[in-house]
């Protein structure tokens, strides 16, 4: 199953993304790692066909617009794009899947959510079932984080 490239116009910039899966499936927003892009999920996404998985190119990565000169690039600074992307997709409830920078950003989103704190969720697919090995690989930053996030409008 190959992904379909899409573009989302946020209030302040354009985000490129790739989507896979079932439109009726649980919505999952995937966030890539440092110096990477949405294609990071090209091998994983086909293994999760029951989800509606959308991987974005964070601003300044892949085909997304860059932020203005002088803009900050800390983990927490990606949060407005995460929320604005979910809004552009029409999602009020979604899960976050992250790798490296994306996992850190997903964790920051969890902390910023306050009373709307995400709950850990299993999608029936673990690292072990994808690789045949237990636990994280030798480089633990390559493990993924998945959090469920609900927002009230």
């Amino acid at each position: 199953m190959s992904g379909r490239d899409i573009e989302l116009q946020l209030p302040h910039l354009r985000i490129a993304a790739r989507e896979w899966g079932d439109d009726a499936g649980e919505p999952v927003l995937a966030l890539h790692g440092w110096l990477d892009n949405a294609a990071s999920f090209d091998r994983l996404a086909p293994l999760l066909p029951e989800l509606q998985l959308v991987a974005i190119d964070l601003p300044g990565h892949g085909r997304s617009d860059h932020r203005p000169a002088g803009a900050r690039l800390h983990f927490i600074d990606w949060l407005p794009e995460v929320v604005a992307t979910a809004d552009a997709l029409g999602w009020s409830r979604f899960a976050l899947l992250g790798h490296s920078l994306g996992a850190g950003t997903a964790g920051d989103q969890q902390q910023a959510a306050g009373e709307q704190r995400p709950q850990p969720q299993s999608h029936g697919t673990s690292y072990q079932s994808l690789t045949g090995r237990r636990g994280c690989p030798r480089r633990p930053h390559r493990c993924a984080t998945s959090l469920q996030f609900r927002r009230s409008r």
Side-chain angles (χ1 to χ4, degrees), residues 35-75:
L35 303 175
D36 216 336
N37 58 51
S40 298
F41 296 95
D42 281 349
R43 293 182 67 189
L44 176 64
L47 301 174
L48 305 169
E50 70 281 5
L51 302 176
Q52 181 184 10
L53 183 70
V54 176
I56 64 171
D57 289 339
L58 290 167
H61 295 78
R63 296 175 295 110
S64 288
D65 289 344
H66 288 256
R67 288 188 174 147
R72 295 172 17 148
L73 299 174
H74 299 100
F75 282 102

